[in-house]
Amino acid sequence: MDCGIFATSYREDMAVLFTPAAKAKVAVIIALFLVFPLLVNDYYTSVANLVAIAVIGALGLNILTGFTGQISIGHGAFMGVGAYTVGVLTTKLGLSYWAALPLAGFMAAMVGAVFGIPSLRLKGLYLAIATLAAQVIIEYTIMHWTGLTGGSAGIVIQPPTLGSVSLTNDTSFYYFAFCLTLIAVVATVNLFRSRVGRAFMAVRDRDLAASVMGINLLQYKVMAFGLSAFYAGIAGALLAGYQRVITPENFTVDVSIQYLAMIIIGGLGSVMGSVYGAVFIILLPIGIRAAAGFVGAFFPDIQNLLLAAQTAFFGLIVILFLIFEPEGLAKLWNDVKNYFRLWPFSY
Amino acid sequence: MLLQLLVTGLVVGSIYALVALGFVLIYKASDCINFAQGEFLLVGAYVSLWLITSYQVPFLLAIGLTLCVSLLLGMLVERLVLRPFIGEPVISVIMATIGLSSLMRGIIQLFWGTETRIFPDIFPQTPVTFGGVVVSQVYLWSLGLAILLLIFFSLFFKFTTTGIVMRAVADDQQAALSMGISVKRTFAITWAIAALVAAVGGILLGNINGVNSSLAHLGLKVLPVAILGGLDSIPGAILGGFIIGVLENLAGGYLDPYFGGGVKEVMPFFILVIILLIRPYGLFGKEIIERV
């Protein structure tokens, strides 16, 4: 839609940041994120940290569900695998957090790939149920292998340090989490410009046709599961490093459902959608609490009602998005942008 | 010990069978799974409890009213939530029912809070003994009801027009439409029946364990039952309920000492993974073979 662009090579044509204006925009946004913790207080920085972790997890789930079309209700458990890998490696084996972080990703990827193997035979509903079984089995293992995971008491880990800087305070952790999130977003955007990413999308659109075109279905489906679980593992490891205490209730089936809600509200099969969705779902309870506080000043009864209605509200929003905007916030945002770009001639 | 475990497994299995029946009915007619089945259960349990304790409604009348409420609720849910998803991809439908379960759980908590409530004694409390095995009477009731409903629905699907219409819709929606069948009406009836069956399960379960929101987890726990029997087979759901009930009780009884407890909770899901790998269509499900 931008005019005055004359790409003279395929490389230029396929560039992510098409125009100088786009490059400048991205640079400004990154700069804004870098100064963000200096402008707000610690509370908002801590919220931003949770959002950053959720963005990585949501990106992973979107690779699997949005781009490859394989639904998973086990994402929370894969995050748990990552978190507990960090916990066990740092406390039992004395590894540093930085060595444990990638290993957490690989461990989760391995577990994810194993549970992805049934995806060759199972589709849609059955696959959803198989991943639900993965969730339950992993949750059970975490709760009952007390020698390794500490059961319901969990594991307490040392705060990660970078050189002499300890990542205990929110601001220093923010920069670390922001870098990882940025890497994850860029990597995901580029993934879908590559052969592998296109194969994923072919599998989603019609797996039979993809198979006819020479895509090895087992290999790519298992790869999608592994990659998705890798992101989840990293997100889990980050959460472990941030909270410094790893307990099973951070990785229940409700968490898996939250992540599914993120990518559905954000937009299935959209990288930026994962980001919007993660922001939305993390901010939703905070927003409701703020609204309740505001209303509570006038009507104390409604305050309690609003707080109690959080679960209901979450479900309602998911249903409304599914009915009225299945392509999620990413589509809404594009519609808004296009409206202003084309204004006043909306055709 | 073996006999006691077997009998407990059978009676628990009968409740699983009741709940799984709801899943199977919905899947049979509309090819989607209702992840909010557990919440329907909860609604049934709470409404009957509320009628009995707050308004002193006699038990049978209360059950009748509860079943009416459930019927209406099922139709309402189908109309408002599920109907926009006819013909949509399966992930949307799954997510919609998951969203529905959050919505319903939230509303239920608004009305009734989260603490456990105890049913007044409805069924006789004296347990019955069979050759040294003790069984409480509620379990016998649920066993009898499960068998009754099994017979009823088998006949219903075979001989009544509505049942045949539901089978036609399940087989092919477009073909059914072209024969002049109202697919929408059929879906509404299906959801109403599923909610009704769930309410029966909820009332029985409420009598056994008391009512709190953890009852809704049973909605997920019976998924292995439905899969084992075959998602579209009513006898399969009943038999699957008994098999899973017995297996999980045996596993709980014999394996708990080695794994530190709770094997009962996870055993059905182990079975589930194995079935999915070997026979995804279950014991009696329709075999759809697709080679990729």
Side-chain angles (χ1 to χ4, degrees), chain A residues 65 71 121-126 129-130 132-133 136 140 144 208 217 257 260-261 264 308 311-312 314-315 319 322-323, chain B residues 27 33 85 91 94-96 98-100 102-103 110 223 227 231 260-263 266 269 272-273 276-277 280 290 292:
Chain A
T65 303
I71 185 169
R121 288 192 65 186
L122 306 174
K123 277 180 198 152
L125 200 61
Y126 285 91
I129 296 169
L132 180 71
V136 174
Y140 175 82
H144 287 86
L208 266 176
L217 283 185
I257 289 171
L260 271 175
I264 279 174
T311 327
F314 170 80
I319 293 174
L322 279 167
I323 294 177
Chain B
Y27 186 81
I33 268 217
F85 294 101
I91 174 175
I94 292 174
M95 223 23 232
I98 290 177
L100 178 67
S102 288
L103 180 63
L110 274 186
L223 270 177
I227 297 272
L231 264 177
V263 177
V266 77
F269 286 91
L272 171 66
V273 172
L276 282 176
L277 286 176
E290 190 176 349
V292 178

Side-chain angles (χ1 to χ4, degrees), chain A residues 73 128-133 135-136 139 252-257, chain B residues 16 19-20 23 33-41 94 97-98 101-102 105 205 213-227 244 248 265-266 268-269 272:
Chain A
I73 316 185
I129 296 169
T131 53
L132 180 71
Q135 167 83 37
V136 174
E139 243 182 84
T252 56
V253 66
D254 291 335
V255 176
S256 299
I257 289 171
Chain B
Y16 288 171
V19 183
F23 273 110
I33 268 217
N34 178 16
F35 280 96
Q37 194 72 14
E39 275 71 20
F40 279 115
L41 209 80
I94 292 174
T97 58
I98 290 177
S101 85
S102 288
R105 204 178 327 141
L205 268 168
S213 48
S214 69
L215 207 62
H217 287 295
L218 204 84
L220 291 183
K221 213 181 162 191
V222 297
L223 270 177
V225 174
I227 297 272
I244 297 269
E248 74 161 34
E265 305 295 316
V266 77
F269 286 91
L272 171 66

